[in-house]
């Protein structure tokens, strides 16, 4: 079996043109990740630029309102650029610079990863181009302009379903054309090895902080962790440090769109089968001939037909559980958290909030839930207004 | 001698690619037979995939057309079976690893064998991952064609040592599609292959003109042309057969 396996999942299913690039990336990562000056540079940026550690906030009103488990929110939305994506991007941009690359490219769904990449590129003096599905450039127009302000060039991808999957296709195509001077800043724990490992390592700061903060505040580990999953980077970032703690339930919330019994969802674990796509073996929404299915979610960031290989493995082994959350549940949670806690969550993160609302009331008051608030919701306000048929423009 | 080896037995080979089911399977069937008559030495049949990450826009659109027309792997096997009743030209499937894996690699290779496919080219299955399908290729006698790229460098010898049928030399960086100029030192790539193995090398990606084809044939054992043909199919639709035939005739002459 080849490198980068999580059980049967993972691997390096990519064109030969890219093989030396991923081998060089793996070597560079293994070389730099433990070098004191690389670690110091990254830690300094995370602290002084991104604003880490992010808060672990006790959502007292929400806890009281639901009347069950004690709920904490991990406030990744308070990071610079407004989501957890900056954790990975700062690490990869530093790596790209040390590898002598002058240019970075990235895919983005909701635009959070694109904004984070454009930000890091601006800071580090790297040229930056972002690929985003046409449907997403339409529904997240503000983020497109944000990336342009940061000096990035944004390509609107018109092939296929014109969403995140197609943005990944197009970024891979671009990488094969210019692999020598360009690093592909993959935004999630997916793609060919070593990306799922690199992204997980850079995101695992979330869970490490939660563990420390929880021990400080409560003197014990939480009972369950809840995070939304598209590719799965914020979820693996939260889960990773707790995988060896069997008392902690790990729950990933995937986008069920209009419902898993309809053909409009992106719930890979609930409706997918094992396949090989975007460089990895994992679960994918696909037909009997291996054609990747067009998926749907109100959330551009979760609108992806696959899931990272480490999640597939955590599911196979039963260590983590994955649950579907519909558009409607997510929108209600979006509004709920805004109203009850004064925090507007990203619609992606609202999927996790929705599931917390479902299970917290039935749990004892001495149980503790941690929900990853992976991003802030400013970018989604217009889309939620549309969903509610509220006219906010003249 | 295997059918793939036969393709390289009579001088330089001309290898056209078309997407199966574009614009429909009946036309693909006619195209294969006609291209063989016009001197194609081996024919690459693309099994359309929803997300062809190694393809440029021309073949992407062909895949979309074929899938929209209801083309499936099973229907393509059926077509190959019909072609084999009247035509013995060597044929290779070109597709992505997911359609093979999801179909079941064992069943896929068995059907290749039974319908008369000689080889398979899988651009997203590099050397390190070939065990995914290799045991089934061996079991059913299907050649798994290896690709080498301008970035392969030190990997070329390793790949060549275990290559089967022929080595597919990717002439340029990036995806498929016509290019005005091919700047890679293709001759050097092929020299590295031949150092370790006496195996035919065919050059593909970017070739469209007879002049380019002649130059590449001078450096290699064969020339692969895809997007330029698929463009003709796109332009003429169901009336494409005579136009493709004429192009194949010209290109075959250029490489000979």
């Amino acid at each position: 079996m080849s490198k980068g396996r999580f059980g049967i999942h993972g691997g390096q299913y990519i064109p030969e043109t890219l093989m030396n690039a991923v081998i060089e990336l793996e070597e560079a990562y293994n070389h730099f990740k433990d070098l004191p000056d690389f670690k110091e540079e990254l830690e300094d940026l995370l602290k002084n630029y991104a604003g880490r550690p992010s808060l672990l906030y006790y959502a007292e009103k929400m806890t009281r309102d639901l009347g069950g488990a004690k709920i904490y929110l991990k406030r990744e939305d308070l990071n610079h650029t407004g989501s957890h994506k900056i954790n990975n991007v700062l690490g990869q941009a530093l790596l790209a610079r040390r590898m002598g690359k002058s240019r970075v490219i990235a895919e983005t769904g909701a635009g959070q990863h694109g904004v984070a990449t454009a930000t890091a590129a601006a800071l580090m003096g790297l040229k930056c181009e972002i690929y985003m599905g046409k449907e997403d450039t339409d529904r997240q127009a503000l983020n497109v302009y944000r990336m342009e302000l940061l000096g990035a060039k944004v390509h609107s991808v018109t092939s296929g379903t014109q969403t995140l999957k197609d943005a990944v296709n197009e970024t891979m195509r671009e990488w094969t054309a210019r692999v020598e001077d360009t690093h592909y800043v993959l935004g999630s724990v997916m793609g060919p090895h070593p990306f799922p490992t690199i992204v997980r390592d850079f995101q695992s700061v979330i869970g490490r902080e939660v563990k420390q903060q929880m021990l400080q505040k409560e003197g014990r580990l939480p009972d369950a962790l809840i995070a939304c999953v598209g590719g799965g980077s914020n979820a693996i970032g939260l889960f990773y440090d707790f995988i060896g703690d069997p008392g902690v339930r790990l729950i990933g919330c995937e986008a069920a769109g209009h419902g898993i019994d309809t053909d409009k969802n992106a719930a890979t674990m609930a409706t997918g089968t094992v396949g090989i796509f975007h460089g990895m073996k994992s679960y994918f929404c696909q037909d009997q001939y291996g054609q990747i299915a067009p998926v749907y979610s109100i959330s551009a960031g979760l609108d992806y037909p696959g899931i990272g290989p480490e999640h597939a493995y955590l599911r196979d082994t039963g260590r983590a559980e994955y649950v579907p959350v519909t558009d409607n549940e997510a929108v209600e949670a979006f509004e709920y958290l805004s109203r009850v806690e004064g925090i507007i969550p990203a619609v992606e993160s609202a999927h996790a909030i929705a599931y917390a609302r479902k299970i917290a009331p039935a749990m004892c008051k001495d149980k503790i839930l941690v929900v990853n608030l992976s991003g802030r919701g400013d970018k989604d306000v217009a889309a939620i207004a549309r969903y509610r048929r509220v006219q906010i423009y003249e | 001698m295997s059918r793939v080896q036969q393709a390289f037995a009579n001088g330089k080979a001309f290898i056209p690619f078309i997407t199966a089911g574009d614009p429909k399977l009946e036309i693909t069937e006619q195209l294969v037979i006609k291209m063989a008559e016009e001197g194609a030495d081996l024919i690459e049949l693309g099994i359309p995939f929803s997300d062809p990450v190694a393809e440029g826009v021309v073949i992407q659109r062909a895949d979309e057309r074929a899938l929209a027309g209801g083309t499936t792997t099973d229907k393509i096997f059926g077509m190959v079976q019909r072609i084999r009743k009247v035509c013995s030209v060597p044929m290779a499937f070109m597709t992505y690893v997911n359609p093979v894996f999801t179909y079941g690699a064992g069943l896929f290779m068995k059907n290749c064998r039974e319908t008369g496919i000689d080889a398979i080219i899988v651009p997203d299955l590099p050397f390190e991952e070939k065990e995914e399908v290799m045991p089934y290729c061996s079991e059913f006698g299907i050649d798994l064609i290896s690709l080498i790229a301008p970035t392969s460098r030190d990997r070329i010898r390793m790949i060549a040592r275990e290559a089967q049928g022929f080595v597919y030399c990717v002439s340029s960086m990036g995806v498929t599609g016509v290019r005005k100029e091919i700047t890679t030192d293709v001759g050097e790539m092929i020299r590295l292959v031949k150092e370790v193995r006496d195996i035919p090398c065919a050059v593909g990606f970017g070739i469209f003109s007879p002049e380019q084809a002649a130059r590449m044939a001078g450096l290699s054992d064969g020339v692969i042309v895809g997007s330029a043909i698929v463009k003709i199919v796109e332009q003429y639709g169901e009336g494409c057969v005579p136009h493709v035939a004429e192009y194949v005739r010209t290109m075959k002459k250029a490489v000979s």
Side-chain angles (χ1 to χ4, degrees):
Chain A
M1 199 82 93
S2 63
K3 283 185 187 168
R5 292 286 170 172
F6 304 92
I8 63 164
H9 303 286
Q12 294 180 301
Y13 302 87
I14 48 169
E16 171 60 24
T17 306
L18 294 177
M19 277 308 294
N20 265 326
V22 296
I23 292 167
E24 280 160 22
L25 176 61
E26 181 184 15
E27 285 168 2
Y29 178 64
N30 286 335
H31 173 73
F32 288 119
K33 69 172 180 178
D34 298 319
L35 281 190
D37 67 320
F38 181 85
K39 283 167 66 175
E40 273 164 34
E41 199 176 0
L42 180 57
E43 273 162 31
D44 178 64
L45 283 172
L46 288 174
K47 184 175 171 204
N48 295 307
Y49 188 68
R52 299 208 73 88
S54 68
L55 301 174
L56 183 67
Y57 165 73
Y58 171 42
E60 197 179 348
K61 261 187 88 196
M62 182 175 170
T63 300
R64 259 206 321 270
D65 180 63
L66 296 176
K70 209 168 173 182
I71 296 167
Y72 281 89
L73 304 177
K74 179 61 172 166
R75 298 291 309 274
E76 291 297 302
D77 60 317
L78 296 178
N79 295 338
H80 180 42
T81 74
S83 80
H84 72 291
K85 294 292 187 190
I86 194 78
N87 306 331
N88 165 46
V89 157
L90 288 174
Q92 284 201 47
L94 277 183
L95 195 57
R97 206 168 58 178
R98 297 232 177 183
M99 289 173 74
K101 306 282 181 183
S102 59
R103 179 173 175 263
V104 290
I105 53 174
E107 85 292 345
T108 195
Q112 286 172 317
H113 176 59
V115 167
T117 304
T119 298
L123 180 68
M124 295 186 203
L126 299 164
K127 287 196 258 335
C128 178
E129 297 190 26
I130 303 294
Y131 293 81
M132 188 168 182
K134 168 114 189 355
E135 188 167 315
D136 296 333
T137 53
D138 291 347
R139 58 182 166 176
Q140 297 288 354
L142 201 59
N143 268 341
V144 175
Y145 191 63
R146 203 168 271 155
M147 288 182 264
E148 288 167 353
L149 276 177
L150 292 161
K153 184 169 182 207
V154 181
H155 299 269
S156 182
V157 176
T158 55
S159 58
T161 53
Q162 311 189 352
T163 58
L164 179 54
K165 156 187 86 98
D166 309 283
V168 175
N169 292 348
E170 215 48 47
T171 318
M172 281 193 173
R173 288 179 185 126
E174 173 60 20
W175 204 29
T176 37
R178 265 186 82 171
V179 69
E180 302 286 353
D181 70 341
T182 300
H183 174 66
Y184 180 2
V185 183
L186 234 160
S188 194
V189 285
M190 46 157 290
H193 175 71
F195 284 107
T197 298
I198 291 181
V199 179
R200 178 252 280 154
D201 287 355
F202 287 141
Q203 289 295 359
S204 63
V205 64
I206 303 172
R208 274 198 307 279
E209 285 178 6
V210 166
K211 205 171 220 181
Q212 260 181 9
Q213 292 164 323
M214 192 46 71
L215 289 172
Q216 255 167 24
K217 286 173 194 284
E218 296 281 349
R220 71 176 187 90
L221 297 182
D223 297 285
L225 306 176
I226 305 180
C228 63
V229 284
S233 70
N234 89 81
I236 213 81
L238 176 64
F239 294 172
Y240 189 62
D241 227 44
F242 293 90
I243 290 175
D245 300 308
V248 182
R249 274 174 74 189
L250 310 177
I251 306 168
C253 304
E254 45 179 15
H258 294 176
I260 54 170
D261 49 353
T262 72
D263 62 356
K264 286 216 174 292
N265 71 73
T268 310
M269 294 296 202
T271 65
T273 53
V274 177
I276 301 171
F277 182 50
H278 281 164
M280 59 183 171
K281 186 178 280 185
S282 188
Y283 290 97
F284 295 97
C285 300
Q286 56 179 337
D287 74 9
Q288 65 186 109
Y289 291 108
Q291 306 293 348
I292 303 302
V295 291
Y296 163 81
S297 164
I298 188 172
S299 143
L302 305 182
D303 195 357
Y304 182 70
I307 190 164
E310 193 162 8
H311 284 294
Y313 176 63
L314 290 175
R315 178 219 164 138
D316 286 356
T317 57
R319 179 62 191 95
E321 52 202 293
Y322 296 85
V323 296
V325 173
T326 64
D327 278 5
N328 206 35
E329 291 167 327
V331 170
E332 280 174 3
F334 180 96
E335 295 162 336
Y336 175 85
L337 198 70
S338 303
R339 217 170 44 237
V340 173
E341 289 289 349
I343 298 172
I344 303 177
V347 69
E348 288 79 18
S349 322
H351 286 70
I353 299 290
Y355 197 67
R357 288 179 76 198
K358 261 191 208 173
I359 64 168
M363 292 170 76
C364 296
K365 290 192 176 177
D366 61 351
K367 298 286 183 192
I368 300 171
L369 282 182
V370 176
V371 184
N372 205 12
L373 205 62
S374 56
R376 68 175 182 221
D378 310 46
K379 68 178 178 58
D380 299 310
V381 170
I384 300 299
R386 271 200 301 276
Y387 186 85
R388 291 300 187 204
R389 301 183 196 289
V390 175
Q391 289 280 348
I392 54 172
Y393 297 111
E394 291 292 306
Chain B
M1 192 187 286
S2 77
R3 260 205 298 249
V4 173
Q5 288 168 310
Q6 276 168 32
F8 295 91
N10 312 306
K12 309 282 179 176
F14 179 67
I15 305 172
F17 165 95
I18 51 173
T19 300
D22 171 34
K24 55 190 213 185
L25 282 170
E26 290 74 13
I27 303 294
T28 305
E29 189 175 337
Q30 292 171 31
L31 280 172
V32 170
I33 294 164
K34 198 69 193 167
M35 291 194 297
E37 281 173 18
E38 297 294 352
D41 297 284
L42 187 155
I43 291 169
E44 272 185 34
L45 277 177
I47 298 179
F49 182 48
S50 53
D51 295 86
V53 291
E55 312 295 352
V57 288
V58 171
I59 297 177
Q60 286 177 41
R61 285 200 300 262
D63 282 17
E64 280 173 24
R65 287 193 296 271
L67 290 172
T71 308
T72 66
T73 308
D74 281 322
K75 288 181 187 170
I76 294 170
F77 277 127
M79 176 197 69
V80 171
Q81 206 162 24
R82 290 194 296 278
I83 291 171
R84 273 288 172 249
K85 286 184 185 144
V86 294
C87 180
S88 64
V89 69
M91 279 192 281
F93 272 151
M94 173 132 178
T95 190
Y96 289 79
V97 64
N98 200 45
V100 179
F101 174 79
T102 302
Y103 193 88
L107 180 61
F108 188 93
M109 299 309 161
K110 181 171 179 277
N111 287 352
C112 283
R113 169 86 187 189
E114 284 173 1
T115 58
I117 289 292
D118 306 294
I120 173 163
I121 305 167
V122 190
D124 60 346
L125 192 72
F127 181 85
E128 281 77 354
E129 300 291 358
K130 65 182 177 155
E131 283 310 302
E132 197 68 61
V133 305
M134 187 57 108
Y136 308 104
C137 290
S138 305
E139 185 180 348
F140 295 103
I142 306 299
D143 283 338
L144 179 64
I145 305 301
S146 298
L147 294 97
I148 57 171
T151 49
S152 295
R153 301 185 294 264
D154 51 320
R155 296 170 51 81
I156 290 180
R157 287 189 187 87
M158 166 184 88
I159 293 167
R161 235 170 254 132
E162 296 183 22
Q164 303 179 331
F166 69 94
V167 172
Y168 190 131
C169 303
V170 175
S171 76
S172 312
M173 301 291 289
V175 293
T176 57
V178 302
R179 287 166 174 80
K180 278 199 199 96
E181 269 184 272
I182 289 165
T183 53
T184 305
D185 190 349
V186 173
E188 174 63 12
M189 287 167 71
I190 291 173
R191 195 184 63 74
L192 288 171
V193 173
K194 304 273 183 177
E195 247 179 45
V196 295
R197 277 285 294 287
D198 181 21
I199 186 168
C201 294
V203 185
F205 275 47
I207 301 166
F208 71 100
S209 71
E211 294 74 30
Q212 275 178 327
R215 191 166 81 79
M216 287 300 139
L219 301 169
S220 66
D221 305 297
V223 172
I224 304 165
V225 174
S227 297
I229 297 175
V230 173
K231 249 185 184 164
I232 300 174
V233 176
E234 180 171 51
Q235 189 183 347
Y236 294 100
E238 295 188 17
C240 67
V241 180
H243 301 279
V244 171
E246 192 191 327
Y247 179 79
V248 170
R249 195 182 316 136
T250 312
M251 294 298 274
K252 172 65 187 171
K253 207 195 272 172
V255 304
S256 300

